[in-house]
């Protein structure tokens, strides 16, 4: 299960406004604003579609992506001044302990979900900081997004965050997606 990486050759498709059907900008930004998050990482930032929504609401956003081709696309599109692009795997983030006030992940949890990665998030997100995760649900039909066998259910994601010491503030299951908002230990 998991670890499907989006095809960088299809990067242009990540710029479709129809993506808001699966997660709105408000759902992603709301928990960050409530937590007064100033320094945030967008995990699997891709072309910056959602990073661009987060940027006006925080001081700094680190656009983290393992694929340099995604950063190249984002640079051509135009990167906001307060966004720094970071080429990294989520399991080995180049941040100091407690450096981040929060992190977001939109439709990428299935690409990096593991105990080690959640431990890494617990390391870099300050205690009480917020991690906002939306992804394709293992309970979905598979008509959109990656194959169902590469996805996680809302219950699996919630259990994984709790096992890593996070306090899950909310979990929302939907037709094809889920959302988990968690506070760092």
């Amino acid at each position: 299960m998991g670890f499907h990486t989006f095809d960088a050759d299809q990067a242009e498709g990540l710029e479709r406004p129809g993506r808001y059907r699966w997660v709105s900008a408000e759902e992603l930004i709301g928990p960050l604003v409530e937590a007064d998050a100033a320094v945030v990482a967008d995990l699997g930032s891709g072309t910056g579609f959602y990073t661009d929504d987060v940027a006006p609401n925080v001081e700094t956003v680190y656009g983290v992506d393992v694929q340099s081709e995604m950063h190249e696309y984002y640079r051509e599109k135009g990167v906001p001044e307060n966004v720094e692009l970071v080429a990294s795997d989520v399991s080995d983030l180049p941040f100091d302990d407690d450096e981040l006030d929060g992190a977001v992940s939109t439709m990428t949890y299935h690409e990096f979900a593991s105990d080690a990665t959640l431990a890494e998030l617990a390391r870099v997100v300050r205690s009480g900081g917020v991690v906002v995760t939306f992804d394709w649900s293992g309970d979905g039909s598979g008509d959109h997004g990656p194959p169902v066998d590469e996805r996680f259910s809302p219950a699996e994601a919630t259990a994984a965050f709790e096992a890593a010491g996070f306090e899950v503030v909310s979990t929302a299951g939907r037709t094809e997606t889920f959302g988990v908002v968690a506070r760092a230990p």
Side-chain angles (χ1 to χ4, degrees), residues 8-180:
D9 290 337
Q10 304 295 320
E12 188 172 310
L14 294 175
E15 290 297 308
R16 296 180 327 275
R19 292 185 69 195
Y20 290 124
R21 172 182 178 195
W22 308 115
V23 58
S24 72
E26 292 81 7
E27 291 174 295
L28 193 63
I29 296 163
L32 296 174
V33 171
E34 288 174 18
D36 200 25
V39 180
V40 175
D42 183 352
L43 310 171
S45 59
T47 63
F49 182 81
Y50 284 106
T51 313
D52 288 346
D53 291 322
V54 172
N57 297 283
V58 298
E59 290 176 21
T60 303
V61 182
Y62 294 104
V64 178
D65 206 289
V66 71
Q67 299 181 77
S68 59
E69 301 91 344
M70 292 295 192
H71 286 160
E72 290 171 23
Y73 184 98
Y74 196 4
R75 283 185 190 97
E76 288 176 20
K77 182 179 93 168
V79 179
E81 283 188 28
N82 66 330
V83 174
E84 294 181 35
L85 301 180
V86 177
S88 177
D89 190 288
V90 179
S91 66
D92 187 26
L93 294 167
F95 305 119
D96 292 334
D97 293 358
D98 302 321
E99 183 173 342
L100 305 176
D101 297 316
V104 297
S105 167
T106 53
M107 309 320 193
T108 58
Y109 177 78
H110 65 277
E111 295 182 15
F112 61 75
S114 71
D115 294 344
T117 300
L118 292 178
E120 180 69 347
L121 286 176
R123 181 186 73 77
V124 300
V125 176
R126 68 169 170 75
S127 181
V130 66
V131 177
V132 184
T133 304
F134 285 88
D135 200 9
W136 298 104
S137 176
D139 296 339
S141 68
D143 293 340
H144 303 278
V148 173
D149 65 348
E150 296 181 4
R151 303 174 179 197
F152 296 86
S153 71
E156 289 169 324
T158 296
F161 274 100
E162 289 174 340
F166 286 85
E167 173 196 351
V168 174
V169 177
S170 68
T171 301
R174 301 157 173 196
T175 318
E176 287 294 326
T177 61
F178 69 83
V180 174

